[in-house]
Amino acid sequence: MTHISVTVDGTTYEDEVEPRLLLVHYLRDRLGLTGTPIGCDTSNCGACTVELDGASVKSCTVLAVQADGCEVTTVQGLARDGEWTALQRAFHERHALQCGYCTPGMIMAARDLLRENPHPTPDEVRKGLEGNLCRCTGYQNIVRAVLAVAEGETAPADQAASAQEVTA
Amino acid sequence: MIPPAFDYARPTSLDEAVRTLAEAGEDAKVLAGGQSLLPLLRLRLAFPELVVDVGRIPELRGIREDGDTLAVGALTTHHDVIHDPLVRRHAGLLAQATETVADPAVRHRGTLGGSLAHADPAGDLPAVVLALDAELVAVGPRGRRTIPAREFFADYLQSTLAPDELLVEIRVPKREGWGFHYEKFHRVAQSWAMVGVAALVRRDDGHIAEARIGLTNMGATPLRASAAEEALTGAGDAEAVARAAQSAAEGTRPSRDASASPEYRAHLARVLTKRAVLAAAGMG
Ligand SMILES: Cc1cc2nc3c(=O)[nH]c(=O)nc-3n(C[C@H](O)[C@H](O)[C@H](O)COP(=O)(O)OP(=O)(O)OC[C@H]3O[C@@H](n4cnc5c(N)ncnc54)[C@H](O)[C@@H]3O)c2cc1C
Ligand code: FES
Ligand code: FES
């Protein structure tokens, strides 16, 4: 067993874990944060995407011990006081999901994309979400949702709250 | 899928890492970004007793200039390679090829050193360091040694690193004024190369004075297309490049798998070499 200290969605956890425990299993099975799903288990689908110290990673391809001392953000840590971020709202409003299985990973990957490239072209959105597979939507509405946020049709992720104040 | 049980060590310095590996012997495995090793562990294709996580050794990360050479720490992530201004200026081929590796999340974790030590002939970066004539620096209990890229890849998934050696640095000669292009053929987004061609071209007076070509997935190791390199010398137009590219598959031994026959791979090598060289030479 190895001791780890990980901050997940703002809460710090101290735990003893087996070195072989995958981060996604730690989040789901140990912390009960089942908002992050497992899609493929072969590192291909991106459903399990979370942020590790501010960068997107596939949590099925990271050991919990590698996250020791780090900050993890899951899709469950995005909303503030029950208010969705702009990306979450855009996915909802633009029908960017059907079954929703890929959605947590898509949203985490899209956050990463917009952080690196706040004004992507449709092509750049597709490239940026290359590691995330969706079996339902055909991607069109996912791309539209991300572009809508980039174009400010919904406020950028981290400014959602202040933008609401402005429009209120 | 759950990996087999293993012990875990996370050295914080290079010395400690080398000592830990030396003590553990053959049963230890180095963990860098984990983007190849963790999938192997999950599939239970590897059974190390000890995993030595070198991901927190600061001296192995980062890129610096060293005279005519760019020194890239083995633990530098694909993401950092792509965004580094020095790499963009002096080793554009490496940046361009790295952009085609996997997807953003994998590139946040995966490292240049890991990609080379993994020695997968379908990996994009082995052929690139071969074309660039890079040198790989390894450190082990017997000290430090420098391995030319052409002597680093031994066989399928096998490098010439000893089990107790750590790849610490990739030394890339600066290639000022060379044109470059990495041409990768794959079936779907995010998938591995069926074949890839890394081309570097130095032009003189409208003609190709020198060409260096690395081939991805045309054998058990990355290869140089030496016959095509020779034939390209003096080529002055697209037709001459196309003729020279016909010899791109000479001396290769491509494999057969579900997606391609050896003959098809040879065909791809010729077509992609033509495209890569034309783009590198600005003749496209
Ligand atoms: C979905 C997916 C798609 C991918 N697509 C591509 C692709 O298109 N092209 C491509 O080139 N790659 C691709 N990869 C692989 C990716 O580039 C990996 O990052 C890389 O192959 C391994 O780097 P790593 O740092 O993750 O190494 P690890 O997985 O940590 O290690 C890989 C191997 O190298 C050894 N090793 C690592 N670092 C060192 C070192 N410093 N010294 C000695 N030994 C070391 C380890 O012991 C292990 O055997 C893909 C991976 C995934 C998960
Ligand atoms: S479950 Fe992690 S990439 Fe599919
Ligand atoms: S909405 Fe079903 S997988 Fe994307």
Side-chain angles (χ1 to χ4, degrees):
Chain A
M1 290 287 180
T2 301
H3 182 84
I4 60 170
S5 162
V6 191
T7 303
V8 183
D9 295 337
T11 305
T12 301
Y13 301 88
E14 304 274 340
D15 262 309
E16 300 292 325
V17 299
E18 269 193 286
R20 63 168 161 174
L21 183 70
L22 301 174
L23 179 59
V24 72
H25 289 140
Y26 177 68
L27 295 173
R28 291 177 56 84
D29 303 344
R30 192 70 76 87
L31 304 185
L33 295 171
T34 50
T36 301
I38 300 172
C40 65
D41 227 358
T42 57
S43 311
N44 284 292
C45 76
C48 65
T49 305
V50 301
E51 279 171 15
L52 187 60
D53 281 347
S56 63
V57 301
K58 294 178 173 178
S59 62
C60 72
T61 318
V62 177
L63 298 170
V65 287
Q66 289 178 289
D68 180 27
C70 299
E71 251 184 70
V72 177
T73 306
T74 78
V75 74
Q76 284 173 266
L78 298 187
R80 289 273 165 276
D81 304 325
E83 284 289 332
W84 281 347
T85 60
L87 261 173
Q88 288 169 302
R89 274 184 287 128
F91 267 63
H92 177 69
E93 286 163 10
R94 316 251 154 181
H95 308 287
L97 58 142
Q98 287 177 25
C99 78
Y101 206 86
C102 69
T103 311
M106 280 292 176
I107 288 180
M108 298 314 288
R111 262 170 73 86
D112 200 80
L113 161 73
L114 290 175
R115 204 169 23 235
E116 290 229 331
N117 181 2
H119 300 289
T121 63
D123 259 7
E124 287 168 345
V125 172
R126 286 172 194 278
K127 262 210 127 312
L129 299 180
E130 194 177 9
N132 295 72
L133 305 180
C134 174
R135 299 308 307 265
C136 302
T137 63
Y139 301 100
Q140 304 291 358
N141 288 348
I142 293 175
V143 176
R144 276 184 202 129
V146 177
L147 287 172
V149 175
E151 284 155 15
E153 288 172 32
T154 34
D158 297 330
Q159 296 159 23
S162 53
Q164 269 166 4
E165 284 159 23
V166 172
T167 47
Chain B
M1 288 173 288
I2 295 167
F6 49 77
D7 290 330
Y8 176 77
R10 190 167 61 214
T12 51
S13 72
L14 180 54
D15 283 350
E16 190 190 342
V18 168
R19 240 183 358 259
T20 309
L21 278 173
E23 281 162 17
E26 301 252 332
D27 299 324
K29 204 84 179 113
V30 173
L31 173 69
Q35 301 302 292
S36 290
L37 184 56
L38 291 182
L40 284 178
L41 289 171
R42 264 186 337 221
L43 292 168
R44 306 223 167 184
L45 294 172
F47 295 88
E49 287 197 353
L50 175 70
V51 166
V52 181
D53 181 355
V54 295
R56 305 261 180 112
I57 304 179
E59 60 208 275
L60 296 183
R61 204 173 279 255
I63 297 156
R64 59 186 173 86
E65 277 180 291
D66 186 3
D68 296 338
T69 305
L70 215 54
V72 184
L75 266 288
T76 310
T77 62
H78 300 315
H79 176 270
D80 289 353
V81 166
I82 292 170
H83 291 88
D84 188 85
L86 288 173
V87 175
R88 293 207 159 263
R89 173 143 14 109
H90 301 296
L93 177 65
L94 179 61
Q96 190 201 20
T98 305
E99 279 178 5
T100 77
V101 169
D103 56 64
V106 170
R107 294 198 293 265
H108 280 140
R109 303 288 301 168
T111 66
L112 176 56
S115 289
L116 302 177
H118 193 52
D120 188 334
D124 298 292
L125 305 177
V128 168
V129 296
L130 200 60
L132 286 166
D133 237 345
E135 290 181 325
L136 293 89
V137 182
V139 172
R142 294 165 301 285
R144 176 179 284 257
R145 66 185 178 118
T146 300
I147 311 162
R150 63 179 178 284
E151 290 168 18
F152 185 78
F153 304 101
D155 204 344
Y156 181 70
L157 299 188
Q158 236 177 318
S159 77
T160 50
L161 285 176
D164 58 3
E165 270 183 321
L166 208 59
L167 178 59
V168 296
E169 190 173 272
I170 296 87
R171 299 179 61 80
V172 183
K174 293 181 186 170
R175 296 210 176 270
E176 236 75 34
W178 286 63
F180 61 85
H181 189 76
Y182 186 66
E183 186 77 19
K184 173 174 179 175
F185 190 85
H186 48 167
R187 279 180 313 136
V188 291
Q190 184 215 41
S191 68
W192 294 71
M194 205 178 274
V195 173
V197 175
L200 281 163
V201 170
R202 186 167 61 79
R203 281 181 77 176
D204 189 12
D205 208 16
H207 291 259
I208 291 176
E210 207 180 332
R212 318 171 62 82
I213 296 170
L215 301 174
T216 296
N217 220 2
M218 286 299 289
T221 62
L223 296 170
R224 284 281 286 272
S226 320
E229 288 178 354
E230 230 166 89
L232 280 162
T233 310
D237 55 31
E239 228 170 88
V241 169
R243 258 197 317 278
Q246 285 304 312
S247 48
E250 266 178 36
T252 63
R253 298 193 53 194
S255 63
R256 174 186 301 280
D257 60 23
S259 54
S261 65
E263 295 75 29
Y264 183 53
R265 285 206 160 88
H267 167 74
L268 283 175
R270 291 188 285 267
V271 173
L272 303 180
T273 296
K274 182 182 80 180
R275 287 184 195 163
V277 172
L278 286 178
M283 291 178 178

